[in-house]
Amino acid sequence: MNGRERALGLLAGRPIDHLPCTPLTMMFASDRIGAKYLDYATDYRVHVEGQIRVAEDFDFDYVSFGTDPACEAADCGASVTYFPDQPPAIDESHALLADKRKLAGLRVPDPHSSRRMNNGLEAVALFKERAGKEKLVEAWVEGPIAEAADLRGINAIMLDTYDDPEFVRDLFAFVVELELGWAKAEIAAGADLIAVGDAAASLISPQTYEEMVWPFEKKMVDTIHSLGAYVRLHICGNTRGILGKIGQLGCDIVDLDSLAPVSLAREKMGPQQIIMGNIDPVRTLRDGTPETIWQELAECHRQAGNRFIIGAGCEIPRDTPLENVRVLSEFARSCKLTESRTLG
């Protein structure tokens, strides 16, 4: 059974041989091929080469297009700072929507004719050609509040949720249209799964999440499903207070950061929700030993059960020892499954 068959099998509830392994790699992947991160983030050929190398070297079950959160904002006209060997970053001191009135005239860019989004489409198509028979192909989009923060500024959007909720909902509606347009194009290019990154959702109250963010995330999840792809939700940080609502989104995979216990996620989301994570990417994965990493993965698996994917709470740090990274797939291979255990 290859990685693609394994990942799709778990998603569909079919028998698989062992747990999948799909950790997030970005700077680690660019370093693996000796590339500067600027090239990895802006040249789809470099990105694909890095992802395929990492997937092959460490026996991961997927390849993923995801370089930084600034892609969509850049194509909308936001000011983005590019660094030689770090991810691009939004220039919040010159936020595109510093003046809220500009939202009325903002237009959703066509991903096929936009520089950064089209680079992602090229990456997905090349992934499909080079690795699509062996590996699951994933692509990323930003979630409602994460992209709103990119366009408006993180501090401003947080204040807006209290001071001007009507504007926030209008901005979220724009974001959902933007992201679903890109997701549709990514699926057409060959993506099996769309990851929705909505990190800023962990910074608001559970009530604000439920009333303002959740409905727009739900629309994204349902629409992506209607387009024929699976959905993975990634929210960095402490999501303890919103796990129950996340479990009602209908996501196929929920990434869990190390700040939220696996046992609590299982309790709040129910037995069928697939969880990925959630060892600490720095203290455990980068700074630990193969033995301690194995022990923590085993405990996560015990708490999650077999509706589980091996990974870290967030991105693998670029300076993580190679022997530590190898533990992830080695542990996954040790978790042999049978039909009855896979489905339960």
Side-chain angles (χ1 to χ4, degrees):
M1 178 171 283
N2 64 33
R4 176 182 177 80
E5 293 166 340
R6 184 175 302 113
L8 291 177
L10 180 66
L11 288 166
R14 297 191 297 266
I16 56 176
D17 53 354
H18 60 73
L19 293 181
C21 181
T22 63
L24 177 59
T25 59
M26 294 165 58
M27 288 185 284
F28 183 86
S30 68
D31 287 355
R32 190 67 180 157
I33 58 170
K36 294 294 185 182
Y37 200 79
L38 176 62
D39 297 328
Y40 181 86
T42 59
D43 186 335
Y44 72 92
R45 294 159 295 190
V46 177
H47 181 89
V48 168
E49 189 64 36
Q51 280 289 303
I52 291 178
R53 176 76 63 83
V54 165
E56 290 177 345
D57 288 353
F58 298 95
D59 198 21
F60 297 156
D61 293 312
Y62 85 141
V63 289
S64 176
F65 172 76
T67 60
D68 60 272
C71 291
E72 302 96 304
D75 287 340
C76 286
S79 177
V80 176
T81 302
Y82 294 89
F83 306 95
D85 203 23
Q86 295 287 336
I90 301 291
D91 179 5
E92 290 206 11
S93 64
H94 299 89
L96 182 65
L97 294 180
D99 181 347
K100 293 187 290 187
R101 294 172 297 181
K102 291 182 66 175
L103 176 60
L106 197 60
R107 297 293 177 261
V108 173
D110 179 355
H112 294 93
S113 57
S114 301
R115 181 172 63 90
R116 297 216 61 204
M117 286 192 285
N118 187 65
N119 183 68
L121 299 181
E122 296 280 8
V124 172
L126 191 54
F127 277 141
K128 194 67 175 179
E129 175 187 335
R130 292 186 54 188
K133 293 181 180 179
E134 300 293 326
K135 306 290 183 182
L136 186 80
V137 177
E138 175 186 81
W140 281 70
V141 299
E142 290 291 283
I145 193 166
E147 182 62 21
D150 292 339
L151 297 170
R152 172 78 171 136
I154 185 67
N155 293 324
I157 197 64
M158 292 298 164
L159 293 173
D160 290 337
T161 61
Y162 291 93
D163 297 337
D164 197 350
E166 182 178 354
F167 165 76
V168 172
R169 291 189 175 93
D170 288 343
L171 178 52
F172 285 176
F174 173 86
V175 167
V176 168
E177 182 182 357
L178 165 68
E179 303 298 349
L180 288 177
W182 195 21
K184 182 178 181 180
E186 289 172 324
I187 294 165
D192 303 301
L193 182 148
I194 299 296
V196 178
D198 212 14
S202 67
L203 302 178
I204 56 178
S205 71
Q207 180 180 352
T208 302
Y209 174 79
E210 180 175 351
E211 294 177 356
M212 300 191 71
V213 177
W214 188 91
F216 292 93
E217 287 183 347
K218 179 63 173 171
K219 181 176 181 179
M220 289 184 70
V221 171
D222 289 347
T223 303
I224 292 168
H225 280 155
S226 74
L227 294 171
Y230 293 100
V231 181
R232 168 176 171 173
L233 180 68
H234 181 93
I235 300 178
C236 303
N238 187 347
T239 54
R240 295 173 189 230
I242 59 174
L243 287 173
K245 289 303 295 184
I246 290 174
Q248 295 172 21
L249 286 169
C251 300
D252 302 284
I253 303 169
V254 172
D255 288 4
L256 200 64
D257 204 343
S258 58
L259 297 173
V262 175
S263 58
L264 182 62
R266 179 56 72 215
E267 174 190 338
K268 296 293 186 179
M269 297 183 186
Q272 293 303 311
Q273 177 66 65
I274 297 174
I275 297 170
M276 197 209 81
N278 75 329
I279 63 173
D280 189 307
V282 177
R283 287 182 293 181
T284 298
L285 187 56
R286 189 193 70 181
D287 297 341
T289 66
E291 293 75 22
T292 58
I293 295 166
W294 188 283
Q295 291 168 6
E296 293 207 23
L297 288 171
E299 179 58 21
C300 290
H301 182 208
R302 185 192 69 79
Q303 293 180 26
N306 288 322
R307 300 289 286 170
F308 185 56
I309 296 175
I310 303 302
C314 199
E315 177 188 0
I316 294 177
R318 70 190 316 170
D319 56 348
T320 302
L322 303 187
E323 61 270 21
N324 288 9
V325 178
R326 291 193 177 95
V327 175
L328 297 173
S329 57
E330 290 171 356
F331 180 81
R333 288 195 298 272
S334 78
C335 297
K336 305 297 183 183
L337 301 177
T338 64
E339 180 174 356
S340 60
R341 290 175 65 198
T342 303
L343 299 178

